[in-house]
Amino acid sequence: GAVVSQHPSRVICKSGTSVKIECRSLDFQATTMFWYRQFPKQSLMLMATSNEGSKATYEQGVEKDKFLINHASLTLSTLTVTSAHPEDSSFYICSARVGRMDEKLFFGSGTQLSVL
Amino acid sequence: SQQGEEDPQALSIQEGENATMNCSYKTSINNLQWYRQNSGRGLVHLILIRSNEREKHSGRLRVTLDTSKKSSSLLITASRAADTASYFCATARSGSARQLTFGSGTQLTVLP
């Protein structure tokens, strides 16, 4: 199956700093990637849809200035948590479809963010 | 918005037994998918069933879909300790941008 690589897997940072998470499609081109947030023992909440070459589409309630998404190439999308605070601590996961008409998602391995 | 609700929230069984998880949803769907997540990891796609299908098999997995009741079930037969994970249903709504909405998940523990 297709491989989506996500880095880092774990990051600990101080409050007020910014953290960048990378999501790469290794063996396919992903025009669209999705970013999710997951709290312990809960489901995935879609944060935004990242579109290559254009602005991301954010879900209601997600601050676009707080969670900056850049999808500059067909194989890389980044999520930057700006001025992180302890309440931003969470598990962040990216995913992508292989083709525009493909219906299943391939997921990265996730990033556990802990803000002190 | 969260659409899928799964039950049970947690299920603990002995190795070799069958595990059944249920998912209910609210809106019309194009397809329903099941994913598995090991602790602290990303999700892995297991199986997809379309809205015009009623049952689908893949190895030890059997999925049913009842669109009149807006519900689906995932059956894992002859469970193994390695099946221990969280299982999520996800729905793709009709006419949407094919975004998936995930259910609340079932934590399955298979005891050796």
Side-chain angles (χ1 to χ4, degrees):
Chain A
V3 178
V4 175
S5 175
Q6 184 174 343
H7 293 280
S9 58
R10 184 178 295 273
V11 59
I12 300 172
C13 70
K14 291 183 179 179
S15 188
T17 60
S18 294
V19 175
K20 180 185 282 189
I21 303 170
E22 291 189 349
C23 182
R24 293 181 185 272
S25 55
L26 295 187
D27 49 1
F28 66 99
Q29 293 182 331
T31 54
T32 303
M33 290 185 174
F34 303 93
W35 287 95
Y36 292 86
R37 182 174 182 174
Q38 185 180 32
F39 291 103
K41 299 188 186 303
Q42 293 190 24
S43 186
L44 281 73
M45 291 173 43
L46 179 65
M47 297 175 66
T49 301
S50 171
N51 304 298
E52 187 269 336
S54 64
K55 291 182 179 179
T57 305
Y58 289 82
E59 293 300 299
Q60 192 173 8
V62 178
E63 300 175 57
K64 63 175 97 175
D65 295 330
K66 173 77 171 174
F67 300 100
L68 299 178
I69 291 173
N70 185 287
H71 195 153
S73 78
L74 286 170
T75 58
L76 174 65
S77 175
T78 60
L79 168 67
T80 301
V81 183
T82 62
S83 187
H85 290 281
E87 57 265 30
D88 299 324
S89 297
S90 188
F91 192 62
Y92 294 87
I93 317 176
C94 67
S95 68
R97 287 194 168 90
V98 174
R100 289 183 183 275
M101 299 308 295
D102 198 7
E103 290 162 317
K104 64 184 180 187
L105 294 179
F106 293 92
F107 282 82
S109 54
T111 298
Q112 181 63 53
L113 171 64
S114 299
V115 185
L116 304 177
Chain B
S1 62
Q2 194 71 14
Q3 133 148 283
E5 294 298 324
E6 294 177 61
D7 77 273
Q9 286 189 322
L11 178 62
S12 185
I13 59 174
Q14 294 292 136
E15 208 165 24
E17 293 180 339
N18 296 341
T20 300
M21 290 161 267
N22 303 295
C23 167
S24 62
Y25 57 92
K26 296 176 183 176
T27 63
S28 296
I29 61 170
N30 184 283
N31 65 70
L32 186 144
Q33 305 176 35
W34 285 90
Y35 288 81
R36 166 196 166 127
Q37 182 182 33
N38 283 50
S39 181
R41 305 289 293 175
L43 279 70
V44 176
H45 180 267
L46 295 176
I47 194 166
L48 179 153
I49 186 164
R50 300 188 187 285
S51 59
N52 61 353
E53 297 177 307
R54 292 295 167 259
E55 187 172 310
K56 203 161 184 180
H57 297 252
S58 176
R60 293 184 296 113
L61 305 180
R62 173 177 166 250
V63 169
T64 63
L65 178 65
D66 187 334
T67 53
S68 66
K69 295 181 179 178
K70 290 186 167 58
S71 67
S72 173
S73 68
L74 171 67
L75 168 68
I76 303 175
T77 60
S79 63
R80 306 166 182 168
D83 294 329
T84 295
S86 291
Y87 292 82
F88 294 91
C89 66
T91 52
R93 282 180 280 181
S94 302
S96 76
R98 296 182 299 118
Q99 294 170 345
L100 294 184
T101 302
F102 285 83
S104 50
T106 294
Q107 171 61 51
L108 172 66
T109 302
V110 181
L111 303 169

